[in-house]
Amino acid sequence: MPGSISTAPEAPRAQAPATPHPRRWLVLAVIAISQLMVVLDATIVNIALPEAQADLGISDADRQWVVTAYTLTFGGLLLLGGRIADYWGRKRTFLVGMVGFALASAVGGLATTGELLFAARALQGAFGALLAPAALALLTVLFTEPKERAKAFAVYGAIAGGGSAVGLVLGGVLTQYIDWRWCLLVNIPIAAVALFAAIPLVPESRAHGDTRYDIPGAVVVTAGLVSLVYGFTRAAEDGWDASATIGFIAAGVVLLAAFVVIELRSSHPLLPLRILLDRNRGGAYLASTLIGAGLFGAFLFLTFYFQQTLGYTPVEAGLASLPITVGVLISAGAASQLLPRVGAKPLMVAGAALAAAAMLALTQIDVDSSFVAHLLPAQVVLGLGLGFTFVPLSSLALVGVPEHDAGAASATLNATQQIGGSLGTALLNTFFTSAVTAYLAGRIPGPTTVAQATIHGYSVAFAWGAALILVAGLATMLLIKVRKEDLATGAVHMG
């Protein structure tokens, strides 16, 4: 699930304290609460989206902004957030991120227009890009003994993995029995509990030395990604050959090229390009981006298919999405055991093949598809593919990385997942909208025709998602050359 992809950030650069902090386990509980809030927000909003769209009058072309506004700012600002946490102070950044996330959630929960909801989601992503790096950096500083650190990361990872499942069910309950707005407003009490506990418990720490930030890089890369996504959205409404579509996509490409130039010339780059130029890491980041692109959009369409086509209640839709999480948990555990024995490449190729096969199975849905016979096995296989893919990616991200680049390398992997998800959600939503429009052209409109057009749109979106995942598998086969002996197993914790 989107929420099961953890938000591992910039690692701290300061030397860890010699003696363990006496209240470190209480601090872990506080950090776990904050992580739960961030993870919940990915899946809980997905379940609420159909009702939010209807309530606020959001068009089919624009509804993807509820997802992409969050993932774009989160992914685009994640590396900068890690550096801010290191130099400005990890506790201070953690508290500011927590308060900002809660306030943004309040704005979203009280939104009266789609545009206000999109803006609130973008703010959530920006503050999440402060909160998540600060949380993980605090864990790394506080838990210095290897066995204790492993336990702390296990708790953090369990929250990341299980939180998405909780979000699916909680989102359904809140949407069905209270109001979709509470899927955002629920963050306020969670943040309040964590905030009041963090103030007396969490110690401050920061890295020393040069504290310059690559602000131009962060602004340009985020603007470039937003321009690309907006161009994809315009394509859904105006067509791919419209001047606005071409203009925004071209502007996005130019801005991303400018970002590369900025990083090459910056003395303190947001993303040191040497991290990307290694064949194995570059292949891992490319695969991560493509898989994120294929999957995030698919989750969006499954939610709408369950609720709007099959007529599931929000609670039923949340429960119906759980098989993906089950598949992830099964294969992630198996992949952790298999990785040292078979290496990353075979697992990632097998994972991509499984996930793509599941997506192709979803292209065969109809207005009355059986959950048990069709949707359940397809989702379990999709989850299995995800687990086999993401676990090796976490190891590949750090292959051959010098210690001072480890945080940036880990954060880059997570940023690529979010950015890929942003671009993929916008792109697949455009393909869906265009397919529906094309299907309806020349046909007599009516409930049955509209329902069949919608199914056709879902099938087209799932097919493109499968294609993106297959390209990720191909990139893995061609680019990943690392041997299993070279993998730094256990060096990276993705959750």
Side-chain angles (χ1 to χ4, degrees):
M1 305 295 303
S4 69
I5 302 170
S6 143
T7 50
E10 187 82 18
R13 299 174 180 77
Q15 189 68 29
T19 56
H21 191 275
R23 293 179 294 183
R24 60 193 180 280
W25 295 105
L26 289 174
V27 174
L28 173 61
V30 174
I31 291 173
I33 293 172
S34 73
Q35 170 69 358
L36 178 63
M37 182 177 70
V38 174
V39 170
L40 279 177
D41 215 65
T43 50
I44 201 172
V45 171
N46 266 13
I47 296 297
L49 186 49
E51 290 207 9
Q53 180 184 358
D55 193 13
L56 299 180
I58 301 171
S59 70
D60 283 351
D62 286 339
R63 67 186 177 190
Q64 49 84 19
W65 283 109
V66 178
V67 177
T68 55
Y70 178 84
T71 53
L72 275 175
T73 52
F74 186 91
L77 299 175
L78 186 60
L79 281 159
L80 180 63
R83 282 183 163 81
I84 290 173
D86 280 349
Y87 295 135
W88 194 46
R90 296 167 187 127
K91 176 179 181 177
R92 182 187 298 179
T93 306
F94 180 78
L95 296 178
V96 169
M98 183 82 66
V99 172
F101 199 92
L103 291 175
S105 299
V107 172
L110 299 174
T112 53
T113 65
E115 290 75 15
L116 189 56
L117 179 59
F118 304 154
R121 290 287 286 163
L123 276 176
Q124 279 186 311
F127 283 109
L130 290 176
L131 177 61
L136 202 56
L138 282 167
L139 279 189
T140 309
V141 169
L142 289 171
F143 291 90
T144 56
E145 197 274 322
K147 288 185 179 180
E148 285 196 353
R149 180 176 288 186
K151 290 179 182 178
F153 276 115
V155 171
Y156 188 90
I159 293 290
S164 60
V166 174
L168 290 169
V169 178
L170 182 60
V173 170
L174 292 174
T175 301
Q176 185 169 332
Y177 295 110
I178 306 179
D179 190 86
W180 69 265
R181 297 176 181 279
W182 276 97
C183 292
L184 291 162
L185 296 175
V186 71
N187 290 326
I188 299 172
I190 296 175
V193 170
L195 183 68
F196 285 114
I199 291 172
L201 288 175
V202 176
E204 183 59 283
S205 67
R206 58 172 55 87
H208 301 288
D210 198 328
T211 60
R212 283 181 287 176
Y213 305 116
D214 182 14
I215 302 295
V219 171
V220 169
V221 71
T222 305
L225 292 167
V226 169
S227 185
L228 270 183
V229 169
Y230 190 68
F232 295 156
T233 304
R234 298 305 305 177
E237 299 177 342
D238 304 332
W240 289 101
D241 57 350
S243 57
T245 302
I246 295 170
F248 278 105
I249 292 176
V253 172
V254 170
L255 285 168
L256 292 178
F259 170 69
V260 173
V261 173
I262 291 170
E263 298 309 281
L264 286 171
R265 297 183 175 182
S266 174
S267 59
H268 292 75
L270 186 70
L271 173 58
L273 294 183
R274 60 182 175 272
I275 292 175
L276 298 179
L277 295 178
D278 175 84
R279 178 173 185 161
N280 292 295
R281 286 195 301 275
Y285 296 140
L286 177 59
S288 173
T289 303
L290 290 167
I291 290 169
L295 291 171
F296 274 58
F299 295 131
L300 174 71
F301 296 118
L302 270 176
T303 295
F304 278 90
Y305 175 66
F306 284 145
Q307 295 186 54
Q308 294 190 341
T309 301
L310 297 183
Y312 288 7
T313 66
V315 171
E316 289 170 340
L319 293 171
S321 302
L322 288 180
I324 299 177
T325 303
V326 173
V328 169
L329 294 176
I330 293 171
S331 59
S336 298
Q337 299 297 318
L338 290 171
L339 185 60
R341 302 175 189 174
V342 303
K345 185 173 180 175
L347 289 176
M348 289 178 63
V349 171
L354 284 171
M359 297 283 274
L360 289 174
L362 290 173
T363 65
Q364 303 304 307
I365 57 173
D366 206 341
V367 291
D368 56 356
S369 294
S370 165
F371 178 78
V372 173
H374 189 175
L375 297 166
L376 174 63
Q379 288 186 92
V380 171
V381 172
L382 181 57
L384 291 173
L386 285 181
F388 281 127
T389 301
F390 287 131
V391 170
L393 276 175
S394 65
S395 291
L396 284 175
L398 283 192
V399 170
V401 178
E403 185 177 350
H404 62 274
D405 284 338
S410 181
T412 300
L413 178 65
N414 291 277
T416 58
Q417 292 166 357
Q418 300 294 329
I419 289 166
S422 306
L423 298 174
T425 298
L427 196 58
L428 295 187
N429 193 61
T430 295
F431 289 144
F432 165 83
T433 306
S434 301
V436 171
T437 302
Y439 187 94
L440 290 174
R443 287 182 167 88
I444 299 173
T448 302
T449 306
V450 171
Q452 290 293 346
T454 303
I455 291 295
H456 174 66
Y458 292 150
S459 296
V460 168
F462 287 134
W464 277 102
L468 289 167
I469 294 170
L470 284 174
V471 174
L474 183 62
T476 299
M477 293 178 66
L478 295 177
L479 295 175
I480 304 299
K481 298 296 182 183
V482 67
R483 300 171 302 171
K484 61 179 181 289
E485 294 83 5
D486 299 326
L487 289 177
T489 54
V492 182
H493 304 268
M494 284 184 63

